[in-house]
Amino acid sequence: MNIHETDDYASVNINQGMTLTEKIIAKASNRTHVSPGEVLFVNVDVLMSHDPCTPGVASVFKKEFGEEAKVWDPDRFIMIPDHFVYSADPQANQNIRVMREFATAQNITHFYDVGTPDYKGVCHIGLAEGGHTRPGEVLLGTDSHTVTAGAFGTFAIGVGITDGAYALGTGEIPLMVPATIKVNYFGKKAKSVQAKDLILVLMKELGVEGATYNAIEFTGNVIDELSVEERMTMCNMVVECGAKNGIMVPNQATLDYLATRTRIPYTVVTPDEDAQYVRTIDIDVSSLTSVIARPHSPDNVVSVAQLENIAISQAYIGSCTGGKTDDFIAAAEILWQRKVTIPTYAVPATKEVFHNLITMQVKGRSVYEILTRAGVKLSSEPGCAACCGGPADTFGRVRDPISVISTTNRNFVGRMGNKGAMIYLASPYAVAAAAVSGFITNPERYLTNDY
C-alpha cells in the first residue's frame, strides 16, 4: 500500500470551482458560490434526533420558541430511538417516553418508535432504509455519526442539542463552510480488505485531529466499486479524525438503492473539475492487507500481521459501522462450517438487517443459520447495544477488563463498558476470524475464492 499526499490548496476566489460539500452548501444557502471559512445560514432538509438527545432538544426548543411552539416541519424531523431501547434502566425508558409525548404533540410524521411495526433500529442505518438520505441535501442529526449519510451524496453532519433545537424551530442553521480534503483510493484491493480497513488506514494517516472541521471527499475506482453499505462505513468514521463530514458522489449501486427507498425528487451534485482542496491524499490499496486499531484510539492502526497471536476474550459484531447486512454476510463467510471459540455477540443494526440474515444465504445456508450454528450469540433486538456501553443490562456489554475485538467505531477507555477492557477495532472479516481462533488472525487464512 502506498500513500501519497499533495498540498494543492490555494486562495479561493469566486471564479474557482467548488468541492462537493461547497456546492451543496451553496445550494442550501441560495448562493452561487461559497468559500471555506465563510459563515452563513443554511437551509435544512432533514433533522434527526434519537433517545439520548431528543429530551434535551425538546427542552431547549420549548424554552426558546415557547411551550406551544410548533416545529418548522413535522415531516422533516425524523425521530429514531436506538441507543438504550431494550433496557430496564429508568432514565433510558424516560427518554423514550419524552420522545413519544413530543411526537404526539407535534404530529411528527416519521417517529420510528420501539415496540411498534415501524421501529427500525440504529438511526443512521434507519435513516437510509427510510429513504431520508438523499443526494444534494443537508441532513443534521444529534449524533456524531450522522456523517454516515454522506455515502448518498448528502451533506450530513452531527450537531449538539442547542443547534438541533434551533434547526427544529427555524429550519436552518448557521454554518462555517469547511475546507475539503480529497482522498483518492485506487488500485485493486484484496478480497480480505473491507471498507473498515480502508477507513482505518486513513485514520492512521490523519490521526484523530488531522481533519478537524474539514470535509473529506472520497473518490477513486475503489470507492466507485464499493457496495452501498461499505460506502456508508467509509463516511461513518470520518468523525473519528475530526472531520465535519464525509461525502462521495453516489455510484450506480447507491442510485439503485435510493430508487427503492424514496420517491422524493433529489439532485445528484458533483464537484467541479477545478475545485480547490486543502489536501489531496492518494491511497494505493493494491498491497493493503487487513489492519487493526489497537487500544485506545481509532488511529492507533497497524497491520494485522503485527498483532497476530494476541489473545482475544470476546468478539462483537454490530453498530452503525459494523452491524449492516454486508457486515454479517462477511462474518458468515468466515464462520461457515466453523465454530467460535470465544463469546461472540452480534447485534443487527436494524429490523431489516435481522430479516436479511434470515432470508440471505451464503453457500446454501442462511446467514442466521451460519452464525447461530457457529455459536454466535445473535440478538433479535436491533439497536446500538454495547457499542456505547449502555446500562448494565445491555446485550453484549463488556463487563470485565478483557481484550475485545469489535466492528464498532470507537475504542476509547470504557467505550463498550468496563474501563479496563482493551478494545481492538477491525473489519467483520477480522472479527470473525478472531472469534474462530481466539486470537487476532489474518482473515485471509479463512477465506477462499469460492464465495
Side-chain angles (χ1 to χ4, degrees), residues 371-416:
L371 297 178
T372 54
R373 280 195 177 192
V376 174
K377 300 175 182 179
L378 177 60
S379 174
S380 62
E381 299 175 333
C384 295
C387 173
C388 48
D393 57 355
T394 299
F395 181 85
R397 189 178 191 274
V398 179
R399 307 186 185 283
D400 302 303
I402 57 176
S403 293
V404 180
I405 191 164
S406 174
T407 64
T408 54
N409 43 49
R410 289 175 179 161
N411 56 350
F412 308 139
V413 172
R415 171 70 181 183
M416 296 185 71

Side-chain angles (χ1 to χ4, degrees), residues 270-390:
T270 57
D272 293 325
E273 291 186 4
D274 58 343
Q276 296 292 302
Y277 298 92
V278 67
R279 297 171 69 181
T280 297
I281 301 173
D282 294 310
I283 300 178
D284 183 354
V285 306
S286 301
S287 60
L288 180 63
T289 59
S290 293
V291 295
I292 308 284
R294 298 172 291 187
H296 294 286
S297 180
D299 66 348
N300 189 15
V301 176
V302 297
S303 167
V304 67
Q306 294 179 244
L307 300 177
E308 284 202 87
N309 299 321
I310 289 181
I312 296 293
S313 299
Q314 184 170 310
Y316 186 87
I317 304 168
S319 81
C320 54
T321 314
K324 304 180 295 300
T325 301
D326 283 358
D327 302 315
F328 284 103
I329 290 174
E333 292 179 1
I334 298 286
L335 296 174
W336 191 79
Q337 292 191 327
R338 296 188 175 100
K339 298 284 188 180
V340 300
T341 59
I342 57 176
T344 302
Y345 296 87
V347 184
T350 65
K351 284 174 64 176
E352 181 176 316
V353 172
F354 183 74
H355 175 76
N356 290 342
L357 302 190
I358 297 171
T359 59
M360 293 186 173
Q361 295 188 338
V362 171
K363 298 195 74 173
R365 286 185 184 164
S366 72
V367 176
Y368 177 91
E369 182 181 3
I370 293 170
L371 297 178
T372 54
R373 280 195 177 192
V376 174
K377 300 175 182 179
L378 177 60
S379 174
S380 62
E381 299 175 333
C384 295
C387 173
C388 48

Side-chain angles (χ1 to χ4, degrees), residues 125-343:
I125 314 307
L127 280 171
E129 291 176 356
H132 304 297
T133 53
R134 295 178 291 267
E137 293 191 351
V138 173
L139 187 156
L140 310 183
T142 56
D143 185 278
S144 60
H145 291 108
T146 301
V147 293
T148 305
F152 297 88
T154 310
F155 176 71
I157 60 173
V159 296
I161 286 172
T162 302
D163 284 344
Y166 182 82
L168 190 58
T170 66
E172 62 180 14
I173 187 174
L175 181 75
M176 184 172 73
V177 181
T180 299
I181 298 172
K182 182 178 182 178
V183 184
N184 173 42
Y185 288 86
F186 67 97
K188 182 175 176 57
K189 72 176 184 66
K191 175 176 174 55
S192 60
V193 172
Q194 297 186 271
K196 186 65 168 288
D197 301 298
L198 300 178
I199 192 62
L200 286 178
V201 165
L202 182 62
M203 281 296 309
K204 180 180 180 180
E205 172 68 15
L206 291 173
V208 292
E209 297 179 347
T212 300
Y213 210 90
N214 290 154
I216 295 180
E217 186 176 301
F218 294 105
T219 187
N221 74 282
V222 176
I223 300 299
D224 292 340
E225 294 160 7
L226 291 178
S227 70
V228 175
E229 292 186 348
E230 287 279 85
R231 289 159 68 90
M232 292 170 73
T233 298
M234 297 294 297
C235 290
N236 174 274
M237 285 195 65
V238 299
V239 70
E240 313 310 337
C241 53
K244 185 68 174 176
N245 68 300
I247 198 166
M248 54 184 67
V249 176
N251 63 0
Q252 189 57 52
T254 305
L255 297 177
D256 293 343
Y257 179 97
L258 288 165
T260 67
R261 304 287 175 169
T262 183
R263 294 183 179 179
I264 297 175
Y266 58 80
T267 301
V268 175
V269 177
T270 57
D272 293 325
E273 291 186 4
D274 58 343
Q276 296 292 302
Y277 298 92
V278 67
R279 297 171 69 181
T280 297
I281 301 173
D282 294 310
I283 300 178
D284 183 354
V285 306
S286 301
S287 60
L288 180 63
T289 59
S290 293
V291 295
I292 308 284
R294 298 172 291 187
H296 294 286
S297 180
D299 66 348
N300 189 15
V301 176
V302 297
S303 167
V304 67
Q306 294 179 244
L307 300 177
E308 284 202 87
N309 299 321
I310 289 181
I312 296 293
S313 299
Q314 184 170 310
Y316 186 87
I317 304 168
S319 81
C320 54
T321 314
K324 304 180 295 300
T325 301
D326 283 358
D327 302 315
F328 284 103
I329 290 174
E333 292 179 1
I334 298 286
L335 296 174
W336 191 79
Q337 292 191 327
R338 296 188 175 100
K339 298 284 188 180
V340 300
T341 59
I342 57 176

Side-chain angles (χ1 to χ4, degrees), residues 35-105:
S35 300
E38 285 189 272
V39 178
L40 36 79
F41 280 88
V42 174
N43 294 316
V44 176
D45 293 290
V46 177
L47 171 67
M48 182 279 298
S49 191
H50 52 19
D51 50 309
C53 291
T54 297
V57 171
S59 177
V60 174
F61 171 78
K62 291 176 182 179
K63 177 182 177 182
E64 298 300 328
F65 293 97
E67 286 290 331
E68 303 302 319
K70 295 298 181 182
V71 303
W72 107 101
D73 191 334
D75 194 45
R76 298 189 184 192
F77 181 42
I78 316 300
M79 300 175 66
I80 308 181
D82 65 354
H83 269 52
F84 312 122
V85 290
Y86 297 106
S87 172
D89 183 81
Q91 185 58 58
N93 294 331
Q94 173 62 14
N95 285 351
I96 296 176
R97 282 194 291 271
V98 171
M99 293 186 79
R100 289 173 180 149
E101 292 167 1
F102 192 79
T104 298

